[in-house]
């Protein structure tokens, strides 16, 4: 039993918490506790995408030393021509010892075998709390239509690939016609219409109309996922997670709002909508050891159109559809964990980093999508474990719940209510990298009568007003989400730079220091006006131009309408 044990002796007996109890995955790998650092976009690679670098090593060495049971990387793109915001980790075109070396070093850092100090990576002779050795999971991804113009890795007039030619922001009508989301909302109040028009304007500037993929394109993408898995396996990662959430390519094949195909990869019947994913996972399983972890991240938000207000009957229909997908995946016998998440770029602010969705057993949902997500997450485990298993039954995947878990009470309630097997922490792992240690300290310092489920105190101080966009900008989701992303991105970079500088005070790393004075405007500037050690300063000209397009032009447009 590790020091991070599931029971602590007190004067009145034992205080129990299954948060620190071990769990065995279907593949046979075990996690030491239920706390998972989930994937977040780091924005630390070279500007056109590349392998992990010193900044990644420094950032992940901080998480690795605090007792997380599983650490999932930010999305690693399988196609260098389909990036998110330019600084993505990317699988190299050819897999050689040289090109794979940075990924091998990242796996070593996550396992705690290497550490970054004074700007260099070296062997780590220290031990993590309780000798917890995190599982290193590489999240592999293809953005599909959600790859922006220019910074997405393509020439300006080369569109991204997607299952169907449906632009971001379009709403698919009956009959398969796609219209602008703002043009069909005639019943909305004028301020809401104006905000939607600004959102649509941003989407049209940032994202192109995608090109529908051919069968050869689909095979190329599947080979990309296989190559990424091979890279993860060769470099010491314990497994991979396929990103089927937040409107990325695999999610686009599974959603009727983005998949209008009429071939074997169509949305109907259900077996077709999952064909792309199943074929990929089947191929992955044939090339990896039995104990190689395979996870899937699924997104409840992809099952409801952005901005729509569905009826209870519609919510139930969509709930049944997503649960059918999860049930089908579980019975494949090839998946170890399914992460439950929500939101996409058409509902910004609900998916950046760790998701804002809160479970209804914690707070009442405040939007139709939150209501949908809460119903979905409650039923997921019940459907997986309650359905009759096929004759060749394999262990069912465990559920990793991500979103709204901001206090010990949230964590414990999720486990006690049977809504999760693993607990995913995103933003909390940025503001409180040592969260597992903080939890253990609360458990040991408050032994008499203390229970996690009654402790509603946040793990650490959370940003409040710091995340508000500049007052002149309207309350438009895409704008607000961009500023929030910038704040947390700069915070992660600060953690990395603290290790690179070996910034210590009284023997303790200053990566925990809270950036109290940093507002969103400063965060946005610091996010984009930054050049890492491997880049030339020529990038600043391009970055300043990008900031002008993304911030100055929309601001001028908004002011002209006032």
């Amino acid at each position: 039993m590790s020091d991070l044990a599931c029971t602590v002796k007190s004067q009145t007996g034992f205080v129990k918490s299954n948060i620190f109890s071990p769990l065995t995955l279907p593949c046979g790998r075990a996690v030491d506790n239920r706390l998972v650092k989930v994937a977040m976009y780091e924005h630390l690679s070279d500007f056109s995408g590349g392998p992990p670098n010193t900044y990644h090593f420094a950032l992940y060495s901080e998480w690795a030393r605090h007792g997380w049971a599983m650490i999932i990387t930010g999305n690693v793109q399988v196609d260098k021509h389909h990036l998110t915001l330019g600084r993505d980790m990317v699988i190299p075109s050819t897999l050689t010892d040289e090109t794979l070396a940075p990924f091998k070093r990242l796996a070593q850092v996550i396992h705690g075998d290497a550490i970054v100090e004074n700007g260099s990576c070296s062997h780590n002779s220290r031990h993590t709390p309780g000798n917890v050795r995190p599982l290193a999971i590489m999240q592999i991804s293809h953005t599909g239509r959600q790859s922006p113009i220019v910074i997405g890795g393509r020439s300006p007039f080369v569109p991204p690939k997607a299952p169907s030619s449906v632009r971001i922001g379009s709403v698919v009508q009956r009959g398969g016609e796609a219209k602008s989301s703002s043009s069909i909302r005639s019943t909305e109040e004028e301020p809401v219409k104006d905000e939607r028009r600004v959102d649509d304007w941003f989407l049209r500037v940032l994202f192109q109309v995608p090109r529908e993929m051919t069968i050869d394109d689909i095979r190329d993408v599947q080979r990309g996922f296989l190559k990424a898995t091979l890279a993860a396996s060769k470099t010491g990662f314990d497994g991979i997670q396929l990103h089927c959430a937040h409107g990325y390519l695999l999610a686009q094949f599974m959603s009727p709002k983005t998949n209008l195909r009429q071939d074997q990869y169509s949305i109907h019947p259900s077996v077709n909508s999952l064909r792309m994913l199943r074929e990929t996972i089947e191929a992955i399983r044939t090339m990896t050891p039995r104990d190689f972890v395979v996870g899937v991240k699924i997104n409840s938000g992809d099952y409801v159109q952005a901005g729509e207000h569905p009826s209870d009957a519609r919510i139930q229909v969509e709930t049944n559809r997503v649960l059918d997908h999860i049930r089908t995946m579980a019975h494949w016998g090839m998946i170890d964990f399914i992460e439950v998440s929500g939101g996409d770029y058409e509902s910004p602010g609900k998916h950046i980093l760790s998701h804002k969705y809160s479970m209804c057993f914690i707070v009442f949902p405040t939007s139709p999508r939150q209501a949908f997500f809460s119903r979905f997450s409650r039923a997921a485990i019940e459907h997986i474990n309650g359905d009759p298993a096929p004759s060749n039954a394999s262990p069912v995947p465990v559920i990793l719940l991500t979103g709204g878990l901001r206090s010990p009470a949230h964590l414990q309630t999720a486990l006690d209510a049977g809504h999760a097997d693993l607990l995913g922490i995103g933003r909390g792992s940025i503001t409180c990298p040592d969260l597992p240690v903080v939890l253990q300290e609360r458990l040991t310092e408050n032994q008499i009568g203390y229970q996690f489920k009654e402790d509603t105190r946040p793990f650490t101080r959370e940003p409040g007003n710091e995340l508000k966009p500049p007052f002149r900008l309207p309350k438009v989701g895409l704008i607000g989400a961009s500023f929030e992303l910038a704040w947390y991105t700069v915070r992660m970079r600060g953690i990395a730079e603290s290790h690179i500088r070996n910034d210590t005070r009284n023997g303790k790393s200053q990566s925990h220091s809270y950036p109290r004075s940093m507002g969103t405007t400063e965060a946005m500037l610091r996010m984009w006006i930054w050049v890492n050690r491997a880049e030339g300063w020529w990038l600043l000209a391009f970055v300043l131009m990008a900031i002008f397009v993304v911030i100055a032009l929309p601001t001028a447009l908004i002011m002209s309408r006032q």
Side-chain angles (χ1 to χ4, degrees):
M1 181 71 68
S2 69
D3 294 338
L4 288 175
C6 57
T7 59
V8 176
K9 190 70 171 5
S10 74
Q11 295 179 8
T12 59
F14 285 91
V15 178
K16 296 183 178 180
S17 173
N18 52 355
I19 292 175
F20 292 108
S21 62
L23 179 70
T24 301
L25 303 177
C27 69
R29 290 291 184 102
V31 292
D32 291 299
N33 58 63
R34 309 304 180 90
L35 300 173
V36 178
K37 197 292 293 181
V38 296
M40 294 168 291
Y41 176 64
E42 306 99 346
H43 200 70
L44 292 173
S45 296
D46 295 344
F47 192 72
S48 57
N53 55 38
T54 301
Y55 291 91
H56 292 97
F57 305 150
L59 174 62
Y60 280 86
S61 68
E62 176 66 20
W63 285 316
R65 67 194 188 100
H66 291 305
W68 296 91
M70 181 188 295
I71 295 177
I72 306 176
T73 70
N75 48 14
V76 179
Q77 304 299 343
V78 303
D79 184 347
K80 66 180 180 180
H81 300 300
H82 286 77
L83 308 179
T84 57
L85 297 179
R87 291 188 180 274
D88 306 32
M89 286 189 283
V90 181
I91 294 297
S93 301
T94 58
L95 304 185
T96 65
D97 290 344
E98 182 179 358
T99 60
L100 291 178
F103 294 92
K104 183 176 181 180
R105 180 51 58 92
L106 181 58
Q108 291 172 338
V109 166
I110 293 175
H111 286 143
D113 298 330
I115 191 171
V116 175
E117 289 182 331
N118 297 319
S120 61
C121 205
S122 58
H123 175 72
N124 181 25
S125 59
R126 306 170 188 172
H127 296 285
T128 58
N131 293 321
V132 173
R133 180 182 172 87
L135 290 184
I137 306 297
M138 180 189 292
Q139 185 186 83
I140 54 178
S141 171
H142 191 294
T143 59
R145 68 172 188 163
Q146 290 188 172
S147 179
I149 190 169
V150 181
I151 61 174
R154 302 174 310 283
S155 299
F157 301 105
V158 178
K161 300 174 184 178
S164 301
S165 185
V166 179
R167 184 185 66 84
I168 294 180
S170 299
V171 175
V172 177
Q173 303 289 288
R174 290 183 179 179
E177 182 183 3
K179 292 185 177 182
S180 168
S181 57
S182 60
S183 66
I184 66 172
R185 290 176 170 82
S186 58
T187 61
E188 291 179 338
E189 299 292 335
E190 283 303 317
V192 177
K193 283 185 179 181
D194 290 342
E195 291 173 8
R196 174 57 61 176
R197 279 195 289 265
V198 174
D199 258 344
D200 286 346
W201 187 87
F202 266 92
L203 293 173
R204 288 179 179 275
V205 169
L206 297 176
F207 300 98
Q208 300 155 289
V209 177
R211 175 176 67 81
E212 181 171 318
M213 297 172 69
T214 65
I215 298 298
D216 287 341
D217 291 330
I218 292 175
R219 298 291 177 260
D220 284 342
V221 170
Q222 289 175 327
R223 284 190 287 267
F225 279 112
L226 295 182
K227 185 170 71 171
T229 301
L230 182 61
S233 180
K234 281 188 171 183
T235 55
F237 279 85
D238 301 298
I240 54 95
Q241 182 189 49
L242 291 160
H243 198 331
C244 305
H246 309 154
Y248 281 6
L249 183 68
L250 293 176
Q252 291 163 28
F253 274 94
M254 297 161 59
S255 173
K257 71 178 183 179
T258 51
N259 187 351
L260 308 180
R261 302 178 71 92
Q262 300 298 317
D263 58 9
Q264 66 266 41
Y265 295 97
S266 63
I267 199 66
H268 297 294
S270 181
V271 65
N272 281 1
S273 64
L274 293 175
R275 188 183 303 277
M276 175 70 163
L277 177 61
R278 175 160 190 166
E279 290 178 347
T280 303
I281 294 178
E282 284 178 338
I284 286 173
R285 279 302 185 195
T286 63
M287 60 181 289
T288 54
R290 179 66 189 91
D291 64 349
F292 190 79
V293 181
V294 174
V296 169
K297 183 170 187 172
I298 193 170
N299 171 22
S300 67
D302 280 335
Y303 293 79
V304 179
Q305 293 275 16
E308 71 175 333
H309 297 273
S311 64
D312 287 345
R314 168 69 190 287
I315 288 178
Q316 187 59 52
V317 169
E318 295 304 322
T319 299
N320 291 339
R321 189 163 68 87
V322 64
L323 289 174
D324 178 64
H325 280 175
I326 290 183
R327 190 165 48 238
T328 302
M329 292 179 202
H331 288 166
W332 290 345
M334 299 183 291
I335 299 174
D336 295 293
F337 70 91
I338 299 175
E339 181 179 352
V340 175
S341 181
D344 63 20
Y345 285 155
E346 294 184 69
S347 55
K350 297 181 176 65
H351 77 287
I352 298 296
L353 304 172
S354 178
H355 318 293
K356 286 184 176 178
Y357 288 107
S358 296
M359 309 303 295
C360 69
F361 58 80
I362 298 172
V363 295
F364 288 107
T366 57
S367 74
R369 282 192 164 199
Q370 284 178 307
F372 180 75
F373 182 49
S374 63
R375 295 187 189 190
F376 160 52
S377 57
R378 282 199 308 270
I381 291 182
E382 296 174 5
H383 276 67
I384 288 179
N385 294 317
D387 282 353
S391 57
N392 59 338
S394 300
V396 296
V398 300
I399 293 295
L400 166 60
L401 180 64
T402 300
L405 304 175
R406 297 185 178 91
S407 73
H410 293 155
L411 300 177
Q412 193 63 58
T413 303
L415 292 177
D416 290 347
H419 295 122
D421 302 298
L422 296 171
L423 304 165
I425 309 294
R427 291 181 179 186
S429 70
I430 300 175
T431 56
C432 186
D434 59 343
L435 187 146
V437 175
V438 170
L439 280 174
Q440 185 69 7
E441 288 175 348
R442 290 194 187 181
L443 191 63
T444 55
E445 291 173 1
N446 303 276
Q447 294 178 10
I448 302 177
Y450 176 80
Q451 295 186 45
F452 273 147
K453 63 183 178 182
E454 296 176 358
D455 187 351
T456 59
R457 294 172 296 166
F459 304 119
T460 187
R461 178 180 181 271
E462 297 180 345
N465 293 332
E466 297 99 323
L467 296 185
K468 291 183 179 180
F471 69 93
R472 285 190 171 186
L473 296 177
K475 294 181 179 180
V476 176
L478 187 60
I479 297 175
S482 299
F483 281 98
E484 289 185 33
L485 170 64
W487 194 95
Y488 282 100
T489 296
V490 173
R491 165 66 176 153
M492 281 190 283
R493 189 193 306 156
I495 295 174
E497 290 174 340
S498 175
H499 279 269
I500 292 173
R501 295 191 308 265
N502 193 24
D503 186 5
T504 59
R505 187 177 303 161
N506 297 325
K508 185 175 181 180
S509 171
Q510 295 305 297
S511 62
H512 299 287
S513 60
Y514 195 91
R516 298 178 186 275
S517 61
M518 184 175 68
T520 51
T521 301
E522 178 188 351
M524 181 68 78
L525 293 173
R526 291 177 62 183
M527 174 180 172
W528 288 102
I529 306 178
W530 175 70
V531 179
N532 69 36
R533 297 182 176 188
E535 296 173 331
W537 290 95
W538 61 270
L539 279 177
L540 282 180
F542 177 81
V543 169
L544 290 171
M545 182 178 67
I547 292 175
F548 177 75
V549 172
V550 173
I551 299 178
L553 287 181
T555 302
L557 175 66
I558 293 164
M559 295 301 294
S560 68
R561 292 182 175 181
Q562 293 181 346

